Amino acid sequence: MPPLAGFSDNAFQTHADYKKACISLLRALKPYQSPGGARIRLPLVTGTHFDDIAAQLEGFARPLWAVGALLHGSCLTTDEYIELAEPYVRGLANGTNPDHAEYWGPVVVRDQRMVEMEIISFALLAAPDIMFSRQTEEAQVNIREWLKTLNEKDFPITNWLWFRVMTNLALVKVCGVPFDQVKAYMKEDLDQMDNFYLDEGWSADGCWNEEGRQADYYSGSFAIQFSQLLYMKMAEQFDPERCRKFRERALLFASSFWRYFDENGAAIPFGRSLTYRFALSGFWSAVSFAEVELSAPLNDWGTVKGLLSRHLRWWSDRPEIFNVDGTLTIGYSYPNMYMSEDYNSPQSPYWAMKSFVVLGLSPEHPFWVADEKPLPANTLQLSVSVRPPMQIICHTAHHHFLLSSGQFCPWPLKATEAKYGKFAYSSHFGFSVPTGALIQQTAPDSTLALSKDEGDTWRVPWKVQDIEIGTAYLKRGPQSLEDLPTMRSTWKPWKDANIEVDTLLVAPSRRWPEWHVRVHRFRNLGTLELKIQTVQGGFAIQGREHKFGRVLPPYADQSYQEQSASFPHRGESNFPEGIQETGRSALICSDAGSSGIRNLTTKNMHNQYIEGQVLKPDSNTNLLWQRTLIPTIRGTVTIPGGASIEIQSAIFAVARKNGIENKYETLALGDRWKDSPQSTISEMIGLSESHYVLLPEDW
């Protein structure tokens, strides 16, 4: 796809840069605005579970995150106002007018219109004189009455409650509705959302219990933290105590959320609604717009500015996110319907405009004046446990990823196991979603796939139980050198087989920074012997040669192990591309880096068959790379009744990234690959002087 001028060539350093990028996104939508301004319909025919009028309302409303901020910041020229803002002012009057051809229609039960009302309310709150006061008296009545229909409706007990809170706030502050008329609604919704709170600033997207456990980007940039920050800025006169609490939560949340962003600006994709793309950084935009001064190490506007600017620059380097007309596509780094949800209309991706609310700050604000600063390097750690979402953030010189366990979406979301149930998620390698039932269509990167019917059907982790964060230890002989965060969980693959699988994830160590360890224990709680096929997957990686896009060739025997070449940036030609499969490992090396997996299990009577295999999944399964390969360990295990067996693997990953300083001059990849971790539960290995990972004894 062609780049979008003004966005794809943007430095994202100054207020003028951000405004230019924002305007380029808004201008791309202008050809698709309806005559009355109330609807935007992109020339695509994909559908959603809701009606098309609501989808066209999405097209109108979602750009208002940016339009409202531009108006609030008074930074549009007269010509820009006429071109970009006036159609939305006119469209608001027409869309809420029951007698107009572009009327949006009334709100019904759990209606998509409820979602878009929050954005309209933000624009009203951000620019009340323009969006409301300049309207005719009839239009003001229509706007007020249409927004009021949100009350007395059934709402999902999720982040959706914020849409009603912000709408009621706009009704009071802008539309002239007495506070007493909506106070009870607001209090009920806000009290209900207090039940979402976990700890350390984090909230779940709904109640965190055995019916569902989600703490994804909706907990921060997409909805809950974002809306809390807007509320804190705009509702203090009505609710000062709650606003104070939201400010405290923002400080706590920021102290761990910044770790989800790599040095080059890439966020770790995880969870649903990832087609919202640069809305991943919405929290940093909202916390700046709300003028919240964060705690160390983020107590500098330049650090916050860096988090937001680098992320937007990372997206500016991906022209594949645009259609040929400059509008955003459904997908992540390229158009991709496999990863979408059934609530993604062609207009849905403009939720991304949340990251431009920072334009509500004047060009003289300290955010804009500050020099951009990098991530706080002195507080970067190899691995940090973030307990509320049950994740471990891992940051090495060569890879940025997280280990995860315990989350799942309570409703039938497409690709739900892939979006929440994998063991690892990477800012560089992304993750893969399934396209069908075959193993290559399952695309089992960073997970464990099991079959008890000889490969006809496969199960991967979902709805795991008994989640615990603990500690393993890096030891050298009897000496303990390093504590390593671990995550443990249990799941039952089948209802008709009495099998439980315990999984232990061990974070990287300073001794083996390119590796993390996975241990699976199968427990046959029944009396009958069971034969299970297993596929353990490493990170999916771009699976084609850089120069001509050909299939990666196999390495000759030992050729990769003998590689001592340095590790250059992507695109340099002296990087050894190829694949290697052995009886105990699989390795893939491409322009994107290296991804491998090695079996650590000692062969025993229950392990009938083990081999390393490079799996070629369907194209377009991965969010970041269209054509991938996955290193896997395939095996067959036979478990007698009442018995248990254990399999261990080590996962290797080294990323080649653009946009950051080359730190890999001395990285001899062959040496790193053949030097894999050793792990044990017993201390007997401590008699030697070798390094090893000591797993928890109660494991």
Side-chain angles (χ1 to χ4, degrees), residues 83-153:
E83 177 193 7
L84 299 171
E86 190 278 333
Y88 290 93
V89 179
R90 181 163 39 92
L92 178 58
N94 293 332
T96 55
N97 182 358
D99 297 324
H100 196 277
E102 296 181 13
Y103 177 54
W104 296 319
V107 173
V108 295
V109 177
R110 299 198 175 194
D111 195 327
Q112 185 66 23
R113 291 162 180 81
M114 297 170 168
V115 180
E116 311 316 313
M117 281 184 174
E118 183 193 33
I119 316 171
I120 292 169
S121 298
F122 167 74
L124 289 167
L125 289 161
D129 292 343
I130 295 172
M131 296 299 298
F132 190 79
S133 296
R134 292 186 190 179
Q135 303 279 7
T136 67
E137 185 175 342
E138 178 187 8
Q140 290 180 4
V141 170
N142 288 335
I143 293 168
R144 182 187 304 117
E145 293 306 309
W146 189 76
L147 292 176
K148 283 169 66 176
T149 62
L150 197 64
N151 293 316
E152 302 293 347
K153 295 293 190 301

Side-chain angles (χ1 to χ4, degrees), residues 388-588:
M390 300 305 294
Q391 291 170 339
I392 300 171
I393 308 297
C394 305
H395 186 92
T396 75
H398 319 301
H399 194 198
H400 178 243
F401 66 104
L402 63 80
L403 302 178
S404 184
S405 192
Q407 294 201 37
F408 69 93
C409 182
W411 63 84
L413 183 79
K414 186 168 72 172
T416 184
E417 298 97 329
K419 292 170 181 175
Y420 291 94
K422 295 200 172 184
F423 300 131
Y425 294 85
S426 166
S427 66
H428 181 75
F429 297 109
F431 68 89
S432 304
V433 294
T435 63
L438 302 177
I439 190 61
Q440 63 267 34
Q441 296 170 328
T442 301
D445 60 327
S446 299
T447 193
L448 171 68
L450 303 177
S451 175
K452 62 181 176 67
D453 54 14
E454 299 184 351
D456 280 351
T457 60
W458 294 89
R459 296 287 292 166
V460 294
W462 186 50
K463 291 189 177 181
V464 303
Q465 305 296 326
D466 303 325
I467 313 103
E468 297 178 4
I469 288 179
T471 307
Y473 305 93
L474 177 68
K475 305 198 77 173
R476 182 177 183 181
Q479 183 182 8
S480 185
L481 303 177
E482 186 179 356
D483 292 357
L484 307 178
T486 65
M487 189 169 296
R488 177 179 176 176
S489 61
T490 301
W491 64 291
K492 295 191 69 170
W494 303 282
K495 292 183 178 180
D496 61 346
N498 206 359
I499 291 288
E500 286 188 350
V501 183
D502 296 327
T503 295
L504 183 72
L505 309 176
V506 183
S509 65
R510 287 190 292 268
R511 171 64 179 82
W512 291 291
E514 292 82 27
W515 298 84
H516 72 272
V517 172
R518 290 187 211 142
V519 188
H520 305 290
R521 177 174 294 152
F522 299 83
R523 290 183 285 128
N524 187 345
L525 304 180
T527 58
L528 300 178
E529 182 178 86
L530 189 63
K531 185 177 181 180
I532 300 175
Q533 290 186 359
T534 67
V535 176
Q536 302 176 71
F539 291 100
I541 186 173
Q542 178 181 228
R544 294 292 181 127
E545 284 187 326
H546 168 71
K547 191 170 184 180
F548 297 113
R550 294 177 300 201
V551 174
L552 294 174
Y555 286 122
D557 237 9
Q558 298 298 313
S559 64
Y560 187 83
Q561 278 85 339
E562 293 167 2
Q563 271 291 347
S564 299
S566 64
F567 197 65
H569 280 291
R570 290 191 60 219
E572 297 186 19
S573 60
N574 62 333
F575 190 70
E577 298 179 306
I579 65 172
Q580 184 181 78
E581 301 171 319
T582 74
R584 298 184 64 83
S585 66
L587 175 72
I588 306 156

